[in-house]
Amino acid sequence: MDTDGKKALERDEQMIQAAYQDLLNGYLRSNHRKKVEIIERAFRFAKEAHAGVRRRSGEPYILHPIAVAKIASQEIGLGSTSICAALLHDVVEDTDYTVEDIEQHFGPKIAQLVEGLTKISGGIFGDKASLQAENFRKLLLTMSEDIRVVLIKMADRLHNMRTLGSMAPNKRYKIAGETLYIYAPLAHRLGLFAIKTELEDLSFKHEHPDIYKEIDAKIKESEARRAAVYTDFAGPILRKLDESGIKYEAKARLKSIYSIYNKMEKKHLPFEEIYDLYAMRIIFECDDQNKEKAICWSIYSAITDLYQLHPGRTRDWIVTPKANGYQALHLTVMGPDGNWVEVQIRSRRMDEIAEKGFAAHWKYKIGEGEEESELNAWLKTIKDILDNPEPSAIDFLNTLKLNLFATEIVVFTPDGELVTLPAGATVLDLAFHLHTEIGLHCIAGKVNHKLMPLQTELKSGDQVEVLTSKTQAPLPEWAGFLVTAKARTRLRKGIRALRQPMVIKGNEKLTRWLAEHDINDSNFVITKLQGIFHAENREDLCYQLGADEIALGDFLIKPLKKAALQTSKKSTGTSLLSKIPLIGKMVAQTPAEEEEKPAEPINTKQIYRLTTTDSGPNYTMSDCCNPIPGDDVMGYVNDEGRVEIHSLDCPRAQLLKAGYGSRIVATEWDEDIRERFMAHIRIEGLDRRGILQELTHLISIHLGIDLRKLDIEASAEVFHADIWVRVNDADVVSDLCSRMKNISGVTRATRIH
């Protein structure tokens, strides 16, 4: 080996040893029993197993397991068993070693964790799985065996997100999308608030790098002004707490970039009008858990003596913690600058649980505590979803999302039993929560002794009695009354059981008819039929046939045979998208020409250029988010084989990234796109004579923009207008909004996505 090669190896070795020592130092500072010897053995074993292997970024692979172990130890608070499992988590997946080898060297506990991590690792970052939903299903199933598996997986995902820059663009979109859609809510549900916030920010940074940089720069620019405002607000509180003799730490907690962006989008506000950029957090020291509540309320009293309280924004999560174990007292008061400021009051124990989640619970737990029963109750709900899987990946992810991200309410049964449900839950949700049969036969509820329909939304503190009838049967429209994933899953299962005889009958009809007309029973053919009859899936199609709601006729033969022909041609492909209709040059052809010319495959690893030819665009615009050139967009290969364009943060796109990663295509707009696109702008201002004329003159005459629709309403000297214009790109919309704001009386003009 030459001198340069030796120096490179020495640099790698120094880097590896420094990273490992950093991990070890953090572990030695923790409260865990010091089992350094087994961690040392796990490190040497993993280092040897991954020797010579590098990550996409070029660094030695062993640095990844070390980083995951460090996150598990220092940011989640796990001990030596989890550190060893994190160091070894890729050994079985990526080398010749087996789970039995791990057990022989490190014992059954570590081997069990490594096996759990191996089961859920294949495919999430590779090309092995076309549907990420199956990986999430495996991930959640392992929770019931050992919650540490999913905590280490969260550490693994966080490190992958921190090093995502070395991935191809379409992979970045896929990983960032599934992180934002599933992993961040999962971190939230496990009480890992710090990790949840970082995952959201990193996902946003990779999907919208320019907007991320812009907000980050504005935060830094306004730092001095914010610090001065915080000092004015906090000063009197700190003096009062010092006088009381309470030992505490006070700090300003800045909103994350992702949450600032979300607020700007939802409220249609510029950055300068987001006033609640920070909250004050007071963390007090208390050795006796029984005294925490009294100290919280004494601090609350001190603050409300100084500042005006917002009556509707006090949150007491001490007596009734959130389902993820979060405890704190929140209040909102009017600051000296006239803006509302949130103050969060926690003990040191509560703060650790808020940041590190269930791992911190174990540190403070005395016997079988309430926190453990909360965790078990939630895991039972997850298991219930997994035992009754949804028919499609998208449905599964939606159902899972419902159960991950929800604020809670607390209601009581007639016997005084306390039931925790997501905010917005209805009488029907409670019925299904109590028992499947109660839900399926629910007719109404008595809420606080008053008869109410089953769609009635419940509020915290309600006492609810569920009324049932043996003659009641579940209806599909009930799904619109349900908020909880458990209830939706059980309702679908109940309806499916009732519909099954008709589904079987319809399936027999369909199979017989296809055979009689020599048409293959393929996905393409069934998808075509679903589109014609507006059926959600094959089961729905068969039900309609079995119930004689629809009939198969000769008019279907020609289009179905054409679909079957497409299937046979496309099934010969061997590319990554072999199970997906291939994308070709989208040119106008006669049916005969289409049969002769096979579609050209597309390389999803390359950037797909969105352009327009004489034959039209080589893409399809989605109607769920209506993106225009200049927006951050991605492509999705739909069932018809077209590249469907979505805005990156469109809700539908979030689902597609999380559920169909291998169909995602990174895209860029061609500079010469000849199409015009519809954009929606909302205008607000003070009403005056002639303002509408000035707006339309600016749009149509001065700027020459095609105005397609206008909806305006004036009330009490204030007007609101929605306009739809046809434009070439997003810059035209930004310029139009900027010019509108210069018109006297217009206070706001923003694009609505």
Side-chain angles (χ1 to χ4, degrees):
M1 185 183 291
D2 61 20
T3 308
D4 288 344
K6 285 180 181 176
K7 283 182 180 176
L9 284 176
E10 285 172 11
R11 278 196 304 272
D12 285 351
E13 186 59 32
Q14 287 170 1
M15 201 189 314
I16 293 165
Q17 287 301 327
Y20 173 65
Q21 196 58 49
D22 193 25
L23 163 67
L24 209 55
N25 291 343
Y27 170 68
L28 292 170
R29 287 193 299 270
S30 74
N31 295 327
H32 290 280
R33 286 178 295 166
K34 306 301 180 278
K35 296 185 177 179
V36 175
E37 187 273 334
I38 195 167
I39 294 174
E40 180 71 38
R41 281 199 290 117
F43 163 63
R44 288 200 301 270
F45 192 97
K47 184 183 171 192
E48 183 189 328
H50 296 300
V53 181
R54 294 186 178 274
R55 298 191 86 207
R56 287 175 189 267
S57 57
E59 65 183 21
Y61 192 88
I62 186 63
L63 289 174
H64 168 64
I66 293 171
V68 173
K70 184 180 173 185
I71 293 167
S73 170
Q74 296 174 27
E75 297 183 46
I76 301 178
L78 299 175
S80 59
T81 303
S82 299
I83 291 171
C84 291
L87 286 168
L88 299 163
H89 79 273
D90 279 334
V91 167
V92 175
E93 174 73 16
D94 296 341
T95 74
D96 294 332
Y97 287 108
T98 64
V99 173
E100 288 72 28
D101 294 329
I102 302 294
E103 184 169 356
Q104 187 182 341
H105 284 81
F106 301 99
K109 280 188 181 177
I110 291 170
Q112 186 183 345
L113 291 178
V114 172
E115 184 179 22
L117 289 158
T118 303
K119 281 178 186 173
I120 58 178
S121 64
I124 283 186
F125 293 103
D127 299 331
K128 297 177 186 176
S130 59
L131 293 180
Q132 279 67 50
E134 187 52 39
N135 290 298
F136 296 132
R137 204 186 298 272
K138 289 177 188 172
L139 173 70
L140 296 169
L141 277 169
T142 59
M143 279 181 166
S144 55
E145 296 167 19
D146 195 324
I147 193 74
R148 288 176 294 184
V149 172
V150 80
L151 293 173
I152 297 166
K153 186 62 198 172
M154 296 304 298
D156 181 42
R157 173 53 59 125
L158 179 57
H159 186 247
N160 275 298
M161 286 301 297
R162 286 174 177 172
T163 56
L164 193 59
S166 56
M167 303 290 279
N170 66 315
K171 287 288 179 63
R172 286 206 301 272
Y173 292 158
K174 176 185 91 72
I175 294 167
E178 69 189 24
T179 298
L180 202 54
Y181 197 80
I182 294 291
Y183 283 92
L186 185 53
H188 171 85
R189 199 61 182 74
L190 290 167
L192 302 167
F193 183 79
I195 287 177
K196 169 242 181 191
T197 303
E198 188 176 352
L199 287 174
E200 286 177 340
D201 269 7
L202 287 169
S203 298
F204 178 60
K205 182 179 182 179
H206 285 289
E207 290 197 336
H208 301 282
D210 294 338
I211 303 172
Y212 181 94
K213 283 178 194 168
E214 186 183 329
I215 295 173
D216 190 37
K218 286 181 176 178
I219 288 171
K220 286 170 181 166
E221 281 170 24
S222 61
E223 194 170 352
R225 177 175 53 80
R226 272 198 334 273
V229 170
Y230 175 75
T231 303
D232 288 346
F233 172 76
I237 297 173
L238 303 184
R239 286 192 290 275
K240 198 145 189 174
L241 293 181
D242 289 339
E243 288 167 13
S244 71
I246 295 170
K247 288 183 180 178
Y248 69 92
E249 174 193 355
K251 54 189 176 184
R253 185 190 66 82
L254 185 68
K255 261 185 187 287
S256 70
I257 290 177
Y258 177 71
S259 63
I260 291 170
Y261 169 75
N262 259 352
K263 186 154 191 177
M264 288 166 63
E265 285 293 295
K266 284 175 185 171
K267 304 271 187 181
H268 306 297
L269 295 171
F271 177 87
E272 291 70 26
E273 291 182 32
I274 306 289
Y275 296 111
D276 58 339
L277 280 179
Y278 72 89
M280 182 182 187
R281 183 173 294 163
I282 298 168
I283 304 159
F284 62 87
E285 307 295 338
C286 179
D287 295 330
D288 186 350
Q289 200 170 317
N290 295 319
K291 293 179 181 176
E292 288 179 345
K293 183 179 173 184
I295 296 172
C296 277
W297 286 104
S298 68
I299 295 171
Y300 171 94
S301 179
I303 295 167
T304 52
D305 284 347
L306 293 165
Y307 297 114
Q308 179 65 43
L309 177 72
H310 189 304
R313 285 167 65 178
T314 299
R315 301 284 182 268
D316 178 2
W317 282 304
I318 301 169
V319 175
T320 309
K322 289 188 178 184
N324 62 10
Y326 180 84
Q327 285 184 288
L329 180 60
H330 290 196
L331 64 151
T332 301
V333 293
M334 178 70 76
D337 62 343
N339 288 309
W340 294 107
V341 181
E342 183 182 71
V343 184
Q344 302 168 353
I345 306 168
R346 307 172 177 174
S347 68
R348 182 66 62 189
R349 178 190 68 86
M350 294 175 192
D351 187 61
E352 281 204 37
I353 288 168
E355 296 303 311
K356 293 183 177 177
F358 284 110
H361 277 299
W362 301 332
K363 178 178 169 182
Y364 294 102
K365 190 179 66 175
I366 305 164
E368 288 292 313
E370 183 184 329
E371 294 85 1
E372 187 167 352
S373 65
E374 285 280 10
L375 172 59
N376 288 336
W378 181 68
L379 291 177
K380 192 177 172 203
T381 305
I382 288 291
K383 201 166 186 309
D384 193 67
I385 296 168
L386 296 166
D387 289 342
N388 301 285
E390 297 294 344
S392 78
I394 294 297
D395 285 343
F396 169 70
L397 293 173
N398 262 328
T399 302
L400 185 59
K401 186 70 180 281
L402 276 173
N403 206 61
L404 289 175
F405 236 164
T407 41
E408 293 88 10
I409 60 168
V410 176
V411 298
F412 299 90
T413 66
D415 299 331
E417 181 191 343
L418 185 147
V419 179
T420 303
L421 293 168
T426 62
V427 169
L428 192 57
D429 280 301
L430 175 62
F432 276 108
H433 177 89
L434 296 172
H435 196 278
T436 302
E437 288 302 309
I438 294 175
L440 294 175
H441 299 290
C442 176
I443 53 170
K446 278 188 179 178
V447 181
N448 303 322
H449 309 290
K450 188 178 178 182
L451 192 64
M452 302 296 283
L454 45 76
Q455 64 264 44
T456 302
E457 190 174 313
L458 302 175
K459 296 180 178 64
S460 263
D462 283 347
Q463 188 182 55
V464 190
E465 180 185 354
V466 178
L467 305 178
T468 61
S469 168
K470 288 181 181 178
T471 59
Q472 177 71 296
L475 300 168
E477 52 265 34
W478 283 9
F481 309 154
L482 295 172
V483 168
T484 60
K486 184 178 189 174
R488 288 196 174 188
T489 302
R490 290 181 171 185
L491 173 65
R492 283 197 188 102
K493 191 179 180 185
I495 291 172
R496 204 171 290 142
L498 285 177
R499 288 163 53 117
Q500 205 56 32
M502 287 297 183
V503 172
I504 293 168
K505 182 182 173 185
N507 193 53
E508 288 170 356
K509 273 188 183 180
L510 176 62
T511 307
R512 191 165 56 247
W513 187 87
L514 291 173
E516 284 171 5
H517 294 90
D518 197 26
I519 299 169
N520 286 337
D521 188 345
S522 66
N523 283 340
F524 258 74
V525 168
I526 300 304
T527 302
K528 191 81 176 173
L529 279 169
Q530 284 172 214
I532 292 167
F533 292 114
H534 306 291
E536 287 184 15
N537 47 44
R538 182 180 183 123
E539 186 180 290
D540 188 32
L541 178 70
C542 291
Y543 175 79
Q544 290 183 48
L545 281 168
D548 293 324
E549 292 177 7
I550 58 173
L552 301 169
D554 291 345
F555 69 98
L556 296 167
I557 295 171
K558 190 174 180 181
L560 291 182
K561 285 199 170 181
K562 187 176 173 184
L565 182 67
Q566 283 180 295
T567 310
S568 62
K569 287 191 174 186
K570 284 166 184 175
S571 64
T572 59
T574 56
S575 71
L576 174 67
L577 295 179
S578 60
K579 293 187 179 179
I580 303 169
L582 300 178
I583 307 167
K585 291 179 180 175
M586 307 303 179
V587 293
Q589 295 174 322
T590 64
E593 287 175 323
E594 283 181 11
E595 289 174 12
E596 290 168 13
K597 287 192 176 182
E600 293 181 9
I602 183 171
N603 186 346
T604 54
K605 293 181 181 178
Q606 294 177 351
I607 293 174
Y608 187 79
R609 196 163 185 79
L610 307 173
T611 188
T612 310
T613 67
D614 292 338
S615 308
N618 66 344
Y619 55 86
T620 300
M621 297 300 290
S622 65
D623 55 10
C624 49
C625 53
N626 297 312
I628 61 178
D631 290 343
D632 292 333
V633 295
M634 62 160 220
Y636 163 72
V637 186
N638 64 22
D639 290 334
E640 284 73 46
R642 297 276 286 169
V643 176
E644 188 180 290
I645 304 305
H646 290 266
S647 172
L648 272 177
D649 46 11
C650 150
R652 170 77 179 160
Q654 298 291 356
L655 265 176
L656 295 172
K657 284 179 283 187
Y660 296 96
S662 60
R663 293 195 187 197
I664 301 304
V665 185
T667 57
E668 64 178 31
W669 297 99
D670 193 285
E671 293 173 6
D672 300 323
I673 283 187
R674 288 170 246 166
E675 268 194 287
R676 288 198 164 194
F677 302 84
M678 194 75 81
H680 176 191
I681 298 171
R682 182 162 295 156
I683 310 158
E684 297 173 14
L686 302 173
D687 193 21
R688 62 174 173 80
R689 191 180 297 277
I691 196 165
L692 177 59
Q693 186 180 355
E694 286 184 43
L695 284 167
T696 53
H697 187 273
L698 171 70
I699 296 164
S700 301
I701 309 299
H702 188 64
L703 296 178
I705 293 171
D706 189 8
L707 176 61
R708 305 300 293 171
K709 185 180 174 184
L710 171 64
D711 185 0
I712 189 164
E713 183 179 347
S715 174
E717 310 305 320
V718 173
F719 81 92
H720 301 267
D722 285 283
I723 65 165
W724 285 261
V725 290
R726 290 181 72 83
V727 295
N728 295 91
D729 56 45
D731 288 342
V732 174
V733 182
S734 298
D735 179 57
L736 177 56
C737 289
S738 179
R739 288 171 183 262
M740 282 177 171
K741 288 176 193 172
N742 293 329
I743 293 176
S744 175
V746 175
T747 56
R748 182 170 295 147
T750 52
R751 179 179 163 205
I752 306 297
H753 293 277

